[in-house]
Each structure stands twice: as C-alpha cells, then as structure tokens.
Amino acid sequence: MFIFIRKYSAVLKINWIQALEYRANALVGVIAIISGLFIEYQIWSLIFKSQDLTHVNGFSFNELMVFIFLSIIVGQLKSSWHTSGEMIEGIRTGDINKFLIRPISYFWYHFMMFIGVNSLYYTVYSIILFILIALFPGAIFQAPINFIGFIFALIVSIFLSYSIYYIMICLAFWFGEVRSIVVAYNLIMLVLAGQYIPIRLFPDSIIQIMELTPFIYLVDFPVSIATGRIPIDMWLINFFYSVIWCLIIWCLGHFVYSRGIRKYEAYGS
Amino acid sequence: MRLMVHRYLILWLAFFRNSLSRDMEFKMNFIGNLFIDTIFYGSLYFFFSVIFSYVDSLGDFSRDAVIIFLIITYLTDTVFLFFFGSNTFQVNRMVVRGDLDLLLLKPVNALFFISFRYVSTYALISSSILIAILFRATYLYSSSIGIYNYIMFFFSFLMGILILYCVEFMIACLVFWYKNFSVGGWLASELIKYSRRPDSIYSGIFRKALFTIFPMALVSSLPARMLLFKPDIILLLSQLLITVVALSLAIVVWNKGLLKYDSASS
C-alpha cells in the first residue's frame, strides 16, 4: 500500500509541477466559469423579470445563481480534455507500451495525471468558492457537515467521471480514434449533468431517467449537498448508490481494458 | 487583381480536394464529426426547451423565432467549420513546433494559407440539411418572410461568419505572445457562447458592447433579426463596418505576432 501511494503520488507531483508551468490556463479557467455564469445570469434574470417570478422550482434568483455557479465549477473539475486526449493518442501511437512492460497501472497512472493536471484549477476554484461564501453567506455550506459532505461527493464525482472517460478511451483499442465520442460525451454532459441548468428544473420524465444513471452524481449531487438541497438523512443512500456506480463503472472499465489490450497490436510504435 | 483571385481560388480548390481525400480515408472520423454536430444541436435545443418551459418568449424572440435563431446558429457554426474551423487553432501547434517557418517560406500569402489550408468537408452534409430545415422553418413561421429579408439575411450571415473567424483567429494568435496557448480553443469557445443566445437576453451596456466592441450579437442574432423582423439597413451597415474593422485588426495582430515569432522549436 505504501509503495502504491509513493509511486502514484510521484506522478501527481510531476503533473502538479507541469500544471504550474502553464498558469495562463488557470486564468482561462476563471474566465470560463465567470463567463458561463454571466450568460446564465442574463437569461434567468430576464425570465424572473418578464414572468414576475420570485421562485422557480423552489429556487430564488440568488439561490439559482449560486447553484449554477457551483455546478459550473464542479463541472469543470470533473471534465477531462487533456488527459483523455493524451490517453487516446497513447493507444493510437503505441505509447501505451511503456505501461505494459512496467509495474504501473494504466488506470491509476492517468487518474493521478488527471488530478495533477487539474490541480491548478482546484486551487483557483477553492479561492473563488471562499469568495462565494463571503458574498452569499448561508447560500452554501450552511453547516460544516455540508462542506465535508461536499468534499466527499466531489471526490466520488471526480472518480466516477474519470472512470466513465476511461471506458470511452479504451474503445480506442478497437476504433483507433475515439475523440469524437469523448467530445460528444462532454457536450451532452454540459447540459444533462446539470452544469448549466439544474437537473431539478428539467421535465419530470427526464429527471426520472436521469435518476437511473450515474450522471446525477457528477454535478447535481455534490452541489445539492453544498447548497443544502438534499436532506442529511438522504445523504447515506445517495452516497451508497454513487459508490456502487463507481464500482460498476470501474469494473466495466477494467473489463473493457483487459479485452482491448488483447486486441492491441502496438502498430503505432 | 483578377488573376490573383483566380490563383487563390484554384489554390483553395486544391485544399478542398486534398481535405476531401483525407477525410475519406478516415470515414469513422467523418461520421463521428457528424455525430458530434447532432449532439451539439440536440443539447442546445434541449437547453432552450427547458428555458421555454418557464417562459413564453425571450424578449423579442418567441419560441418559433428562437428555433429559427438556433438553426441559424447551427448553420453559422457549420459554415464556419467548413472554411476555417480546422485551421484557426493550427496556429498554436505550428508556432510551438516551429512548423510555421515552412509556411512562411511558401510563395503564397501566409495568412490565406493558414486560414484555409484544411476544409472540414463533412460540414457540407450538415450545411445542406440545415439549409433545408431553415427554409422549412421560415416557411412555417407565423409572419411572412419576404425576399428582401432573405437577401439582407444572406449578407448579414456572411459577415457574421467573418466576425467569428476574426475573433477565433485573434485568440489563436495569442500564442505568439504566450509561446504555448493550448487553452486558446477553450477560451474562444467560452467567448463564442455569447453568440449562441438571442441578443434579447442581454441588457444595458453589455448589450451595446455585444453589438460593437465585442460583436458576438452580430454573429447569429443579427442575421436572425434580418430574417425574422423588419430588415434594418443601418444595422447591416454597422455590421459591415465592424466586419471591416475586425478583419483589419486580425491582419494587424497576425503581422505583429509574426514579428514576435522567433521559431524557437524548429
């Protein structure tokens, strides 16, 4: 276990250092979330004003904005453009060979890389989160337990998200180039995971379908915990389901990888 | 001048033929790109259908008008992709790898070459389908749309695409100053999002900015206005002025960038 931690923490450290080299990325990340929120602010303020609404599905205007802001942040933290692109390229060009002859797990190596690459965003977004708490006291983290719950749900969300990416990436063993699948997934998730409109504002029929999928645990679950929209007595069952989804997707990922590696011919190397 | 236009037209046709044969070699990718387009259209449509479950109209834009606006947005995106989409962010790769040297030595305008080298041929299919849908939607639209609207829309639409190109290209050119600006695509996609919402949702100074210094409302919203509402010649002329300014600015940024280029990696 100790060796496992030491090995993969080294990967994390290297990627953290690399991420620090490109600090401009953090600036773009901040622009991305503020810009995303601003568009939602414009559209929802028009809806609230034109319809003379005080609440929409239990959200006041400020609560909705905080919810969307947090959703955009969580959505960015769980998304993987860079790591998935590199992994697909690795399978296509034969770069994956080094993982086959070294005592290192392909899954965990890239998971640590995923965390390392995003580490700069974790830092910057944490600062934004503290500013949000100061600006809207009581809107998020009403109690310390909400903060702790949010952190655990965020960890589950990141792991689940990476595991879903991993399955799509492993399809490259069969199709060679699967970037279009990853891009399509990212586009769907922008809307379906609740990154721009909270899932609870969707039509009931869609919500019922979403509840049967792991996607509800990607953005909506952590944000609902942070904003106190899920009662504490419902946390345990939701955590249980989310962990079960993690195990299912993780096992599925390993199954697809083990099948794919048999097909792999290292033709690019 | 006529000879030069003819020469560059022939060059573009050669680019097109080359891109088509490349795309035909990777048929799965070709189909995959069409699939991405469908997903993109579907997700944007779903977003607005959720919004319209809470509201009847977004300012001047009724539900039907927003649907036509969305088709115009998709069409803008597809036509942009056809001509420029695969090229703008090649600038980053070329500067980082030093490949730009080779391009600068060619006996052709470097800006033309870098802007038009790759044609996204699959966009032809999406564009054809979208044009058919647009005609159908405008035919079924509650108010009648005259030929004058279509003419004004056509010019406004072309200028919208040029503005989009200028914004993306200028962002891509930031690589000359940052040395590696791989997040340029991300930044551009975030800024372009403003063009994917009807301009009526914006208000105050920001709305004015979207029609002038940050002309995202001129990309899809203004063409939609030209088509659906009473055509406004003043607005069209201001769009022309802004397009000319944006194109000139893009050329200036490119030239200034080239002065900064030190071919470090080659």
Side-chain angles (χ1 to χ4, degrees):
Chain A
M1 189 64 187
F2 177 70
I3 295 171
F4 179 89
I5 294 169
R6 219 176 62 170
K7 191 158 64 176
Y8 294 106
S9 63
V11 180
L12 184 71
K13 204 171 138 190
I14 290 166
N15 282 287
W16 161 242
I17 293 166
Q18 227 169 35
L20 282 177
E21 276 183 43
Y22 298 105
R23 286 182 292 273
N25 294 9
L27 184 69
V28 175
V30 173
I31 292 172
I33 55 164
I34 291 174
S35 162
L37 178 76
F38 187 67
I39 296 177
E40 298 312 310
Y41 171 83
Q42 294 280 340
I43 206 159
W44 283 106
S45 64
L46 179 75
I47 292 169
F48 271 78
K49 270 182 205 159
S50 66
Q51 304 291 305
D52 208 16
L53 298 168
T54 53
H55 284 81
V56 167
N57 268 24
F59 284 99
S60 71
F61 182 70
N62 279 352
E63 284 167 351
L64 187 64
M65 285 303 105
V66 169
F67 197 95
I68 291 173
F69 194 33
L70 211 53
S71 299
I72 296 173
I73 290 177
V74 174
Q76 298 277 6
L77 292 180
K78 63 136 191 76
S79 78
S80 162
W81 290 94
H82 178 266
T83 314
S84 55
E86 201 157 298
M87 288 169 86
I88 293 165
E89 186 78 7
I91 294 172
R92 211 161 53 89
T93 58
D95 202 38
I96 191 180
N97 290 357
K98 64 185 176 206
F99 296 97
L100 303 177
I101 53 166
R102 284 176 197 163
I104 195 157
S105 155
Y106 184 63
F107 179 89
W108 290 109
Y109 177 88
H110 284 98
F111 181 61
M112 288 302 162
M113 188 176 158
F114 173 53
I115 307 262
V117 167
N118 278 345
S119 52
L120 196 62
Y121 301 120
Y122 296 136
T123 317
V124 175
Y125 293 170
S126 300
I127 296 167
I128 294 175
L129 217 56
F130 284 116
I131 295 170
L132 196 68
I133 297 167
L135 283 177
F136 298 96
I140 50 168
F141 307 136
Q142 292 88 350
I145 188 79
N146 290 79
F147 181 74
I148 296 163
F150 170 72
I151 296 296
F152 277 109
L154 185 64
I155 292 168
V156 169
S157 156
I158 289 169
F159 184 81
L160 187 59
S161 173
Y162 172 75
S163 302
I164 295 170
Y165 276 111
Y166 187 72
I167 294 173
M168 290 186 289
I169 288 157
C170 286
L171 294 178
F173 287 117
W174 286 273
F175 302 112
E177 182 54 88
V178 289
R179 247 174 268 244
S180 48
I181 298 175
V182 175
V183 173
Y185 168 78
N186 280 331
L187 286 172
I188 296 171
M189 281 306 111
L190 279 179
V191 177
L192 277 192
Q195 207 168 315
Y196 285 108
I197 298 184
I199 288 177
R200 51 197 75 207
L201 298 187
F202 288 3
D204 288 340
S205 54
I206 306 276
I207 295 176
Q208 279 166 7
I209 297 168
M210 290 297 294
E211 279 171 350
L212 300 173
T213 68
F215 304 135
I216 203 143
Y217 300 106
L218 293 176
V219 174
D220 190 73
F221 181 51
V223 177
S224 295
I225 286 181
T227 52
R229 292 203 167 257
I230 296 182
I232 293 180
D233 54 335
M234 293 294 288
W235 286 15
L236 201 63
I237 188 78
N238 275 295
F239 269 116
F240 176 73
Y241 283 135
S242 61
V243 171
I244 292 290
W245 269 119
C246 284
L247 285 172
I248 292 170
I249 303 285
W250 183 64
C251 290
L252 196 62
H254 278 269
F255 175 74
V256 177
Y257 176 79
S258 61
R259 288 272 160 174
I261 212 76
R262 283 185 220 166
K263 285 275 294 177
Y264 178 61
E265 290 169 331
Y267 44 79
S269 60
Chain B
M1 178 71 182
R2 234 180 69 185
L3 205 71
M4 196 178 75
V5 171
H6 185 247
R7 187 176 152 231
Y8 277 97
L9 198 65
I10 286 174
L11 190 60
W12 186 83
L13 283 172
F15 291 158
F16 176 76
R17 275 195 299 272
N18 173 258
S19 302
L20 187 65
S21 56
R22 272 164 57 105
D23 285 347
M24 286 302 109
E25 270 188 51
F26 301 100
K27 289 186 191 69
M28 197 63 199
N29 210 37
F30 189 87
I31 297 163
N33 285 330
L34 286 172
F35 175 65
I36 292 175
D37 276 1
T38 316
I39 295 289
F40 168 62
Y41 303 157
S43 60
L44 207 55
Y45 178 77
F46 179 72
F47 175 85
F48 277 103
S49 62
V50 173
I51 294 289
F52 273 103
S53 63
Y54 295 96
V55 75
D56 300 322
S57 66
L58 289 171
D60 305 339
F61 286 79
S62 63
R63 182 189 282 262
D64 288 347
V66 167
I67 289 174
I68 292 177
F69 164 80
L70 281 180
I71 299 168
I72 293 169
T73 305
Y74 303 153
L75 196 59
T76 307
D77 189 71
T78 311
V79 176
F80 171 78
L81 210 67
F82 178 72
F83 287 106
F84 308 108
S86 306
N87 299 294
T88 38
F89 291 103
Q90 293 285 338
V91 182
N92 187 68
R93 189 184 56 81
M94 290 188 131
V95 171
V96 171
R97 291 190 187 172
D99 295 347
L100 195 62
D101 301 12
L102 207 66
L103 194 150
L104 294 172
L105 292 172
K106 287 186 199 293
V108 63
N109 184 302
L111 184 57
F112 174 85
F113 195 97
I114 207 160
S115 301
F116 290 100
R117 173 61 188 87
Y118 297 104
V119 183
S120 302
T121 54
Y122 78 92
L124 269 180
I125 297 173
S126 316
S127 307
S128 315
I129 297 168
L130 287 168
I131 289 168
I133 296 173
L134 181 65
F135 274 116
R136 178 83 184 142
T138 49
Y139 176 73
L140 295 174
Y141 189 60
S142 50
S143 313
S144 65
I145 297 170
I147 189 81
Y148 188 51
N149 290 74
Y150 282 106
I151 295 167
M152 297 279 268
F153 161 74
F154 179 72
F155 287 110
S156 181
F157 176 75
L158 290 184
M159 286 190 278
I161 289 166
L162 286 177
I163 290 170
L164 194 57
Y165 159 73
C166 294
V167 172
E168 273 219 357
F169 188 73
M170 281 191 274
I171 292 171
C173 281
L174 288 176
V175 65
F176 290 115
W177 286 269
Y178 285 97
K179 304 299 172 202
N180 188 351
F181 199 61
S182 57
V183 284
W186 184 18
L187 178 64
S189 75
E190 290 301 328
L191 297 180
I192 287 164
K193 265 184 199 158
Y194 289 94
S195 72
R196 292 180 181 149
R197 307 284 187 268
D199 66 75
S200 55
I201 70 158
Y202 306 108
S203 56
I205 294 173
F206 188 69
R207 184 178 154 79
K208 283 181 185 146
L210 286 174
F211 277 91
T212 48
I213 51 166
F214 178 47
M216 287 297 107
L218 307 184
V219 176
S220 302
S221 265
L222 192 64
R225 279 186 177 279
M226 293 293 165
L227 187 65
L228 299 173
F229 309 128
K230 199 175 163 222
D232 188 335
I233 194 82
I234 305 288
L235 264 179
L236 195 73
L237 285 175
S238 17
Q239 191 186 16
L240 177 67
L241 179 73
I242 286 165
T243 310
V244 172
V245 171
L247 279 170
S248 315
L249 210 59
I251 293 168
V252 170
V253 169
W254 167 251
N255 288 331
K256 289 268 175 201
L258 282 184
L259 293 176
K260 290 281 289 180
Y261 178 59
D262 47 17
S263 183
S265 307
S266 61

